[in-house]
Amino acid sequence: MAAVPPAIATLPTDLVALKPVNMVGLDALSTLFDITTASSADGTDPDFSAVADAPLADLVDEIEADGHGLVMCMGKGGVGKTTVAAAIAVELARRGHYVHLTTTVPAAHLADTLAGGLDHLEVSRIDPREASETYRDRVLASKGAGLDEAGRATLAEDLLSPCTEEVAVFQAFSKVIHESRRKFVVIDTAPTGHTLLLLDATGSYHREIARQMGDGGRFTTPLMRLQDPAQTKIVLVTLAETTPVLEAAGLQADLQRAGIAPWAWVVNNSLAAAKPTAPLLRQRAVAELEQIDTVREELADRYAVIPLSTSEPVGIEGLDLLTALHAKSLHIPVTQPAPR
Ligand SMILES: Nc1ncnc2c1ncn2[C@@H]1O[C@H](COP(=O)(O)OP(=O)(O)OP(=O)(O)O)[C@@H](O)[C@H]1O
Ligand SMILES: [Mg+2]
């Protein structure tokens, strides 16, 4: 607020306080400009203990049990996909497993989130421009080799089309999916729309291969790996608020139409799980309980709740804390040979 540019600071300004309830519905909306205070003595003492009993570490236990596999964190913008992906990867690496943490976000800040390295943990990113260049070079070297100069020029021009980037990113994505046969691969995805496009490319490729191979052919496409619960665990990240939960449910329905069933939900930034004492925060925390119930009872096969943290959960230690907040035991790392 102190850094507001002068041109904006001179405009008339209204400050709207954080309300104890979500601004959904006519009753709530009609109070937006009222001055409200949270009542500290409403007589009830909400019980947040059930919420705090769904730690991320429990999900990591289940992921770990398979010894390898693909974990994909999905969800709308800003809900904590990168944070949750990094926390899962760090915990698996801490337990002595080889983990590849990668992102399909064009302007990724995975490095900022991790702020350091860890044994057994490889971090990369699928960069659309880099992937396109590699792909172009490869096609020019293979297909271009047999062409005359004019043919190569035409091919080079073809490869500048936007389709090239889509194909290139898809190929890089397929490669990390393939890797998850032998180790853990955790993917931090871009917000919903972008990810659905990538899955669409995966679906088109699958249909094309299926058409070429016919009924008798034996093949495994990346889509089939994503659809196989033994290989892929999709983690939907959301906040415990009406709109984010609805949007995550929409994403789940989209995925199900593509034959992909999300494995777990993670409710991030939960006030209820943070067990606040201030009246305003307690009242907001109570509002979360209904959303968390909906996730648990109607939407998710399994779920975890991560408390809102007082400081940004960045750095290996910050991420550790996020996972370990309710962890029941300490895990002693086991050293394994590197998978080929
Ligand atoms: N449980 C938490 N408590 C406090 N801060 C959190 C928590 N989880 C995430 N954050 C912070 O919230 C911000 C958004 O998180 P993150 O970058 O993981 O979201 P995202 O879903 O990956 O966002 P985008 O869609 O932009 O990629 C970050 O600054 C992160 O440190
Ligand atoms: Mg992110």
Side-chain angles (χ1 to χ4, degrees):
M1 285 167 102
V4 167
I8 291 172
T10 57
L11 298 174
T13 308
D14 222 350
L15 281 182
V16 180
L18 179 67
K19 298 288 168 180
V21 295
N22 280 327
M23 288 297 113
V24 179
L26 283 180
D27 287 345
L29 284 170
S30 65
T31 67
L32 184 64
F33 302 116
D34 297 348
I35 296 168
T36 43
T37 45
S39 50
S40 51
D42 60 356
T44 56
D45 191 23
D47 181 15
F48 299 132
S49 55
V51 172
D53 220 22
L56 185 63
D58 281 3
L59 292 187
V60 179
D61 287 348
E62 270 189 78
I63 294 169
E64 183 188 18
D66 291 342
H68 70 98
L70 183 72
V71 177
M72 257 180 110
C73 291
M74 295 190 187
K76 63 173 255 129
V79 292
K81 298 176 296 298
T82 302
T83 306
V84 172
I88 292 173
V90 163
E91 180 63 16
L92 287 169
R94 277 255 191 265
R95 297 184 188 186
H97 300 282
Y98 281 89
V99 185
H100 182 180
L101 172 63
T102 188
T103 179
T104 62
V105 185
H109 59 247
L110 253 186
D112 296 341
T113 304
L114 273 171
L118 198 64
D119 275 356
H120 297 167
L121 180 61
E122 174 195 349
V123 183
S124 74
R125 101 189 161 99
I126 299 176
D127 175 56
R129 195 173 321 134
E130 220 177 277
S132 305
E133 262 163 36
T134 316
Y135 176 74
R136 260 197 296 274
D137 290 349
R138 202 175 49 237
V139 175
L140 279 173
S142 55
K143 281 208 171 150
L147 298 174
D148 59 13
E149 205 163 310
R152 265 202 303 280
T154 313
L155 180 62
E157 199 180 323
D158 276 353
L159 287 170
L160 289 175
S161 94
C163 295
T164 300
E165 185 174 302
E166 209 175 303
V167 172
V169 168
F170 166 68
Q171 283 202 344
F173 179 54
S174 306
K175 197 165 152 250
V176 294
I177 293 180
H178 193 74
E179 245 181 67
S180 68
R181 286 156 62 245
R182 306 227 184 276
K183 56 164 122 165
F184 288 109
V185 175
V186 183
I187 305 185
D188 160 42
T189 71
T192 306
H194 191 280
T195 299
L196 288 177
L197 271 181
L198 187 58
L199 290 179
D200 203 41
T202 315
S204 308
Y205 176 79
H206 170 80
R207 284 187 296 279
E208 183 56 26
I209 294 295
R211 192 181 64 80
Q212 287 181 18
M213 300 294 287
D215 282 343
R218 276 165 53 88
F219 58 92
T220 308
T221 63
L223 181 70
M224 290 157 77
R225 291 196 203 285
L226 293 179
Q227 289 170 332
D228 180 358
Q231 296 197 46
T232 301
K233 294 184 168 68
I234 306 280
V235 174
L236 285 186
V237 185
T238 185
L239 308 176
E241 288 168 28
T242 322
T243 311
V245 168
L246 277 175
E247 284 174 349
L251 172 58
Q252 173 156 279
D254 281 341
L255 289 169
Q256 281 164 343
R257 269 193 291 281
I260 300 171
W263 178 73
W265 283 53
V266 170
V267 178
N268 188 28
N269 277 358
S270 166
L271 262 178
K275 300 193 207 137
T277 49
L280 174 80
L281 298 182
R282 284 182 76 81
Q283 219 169 313
R284 288 198 60 89
V286 170
E288 284 185 354
L289 296 178
E290 190 185 326
Q291 297 306 321
I292 295 172
D293 272 352
T294 307
V295 169
R296 180 178 48 218
E297 271 149 40
E298 289 163 35
L299 295 167
D301 287 338
R302 54 179 76 60
Y303 77 108
V305 180
I306 300 178
L308 179 68
S309 158
T310 48
S311 58
E312 269 200 40
V314 292
I316 304 285
E317 256 117 67
L319 293 166
D320 265 350
L321 222 64
L322 213 62
T323 320
L325 271 173
H326 320 273
K328 293 164 210 142
S329 55
L330 276 174
H331 301 278
I332 298 146
V334 194
T335 309
Q336 301 178 330
R340 294 259 124 229

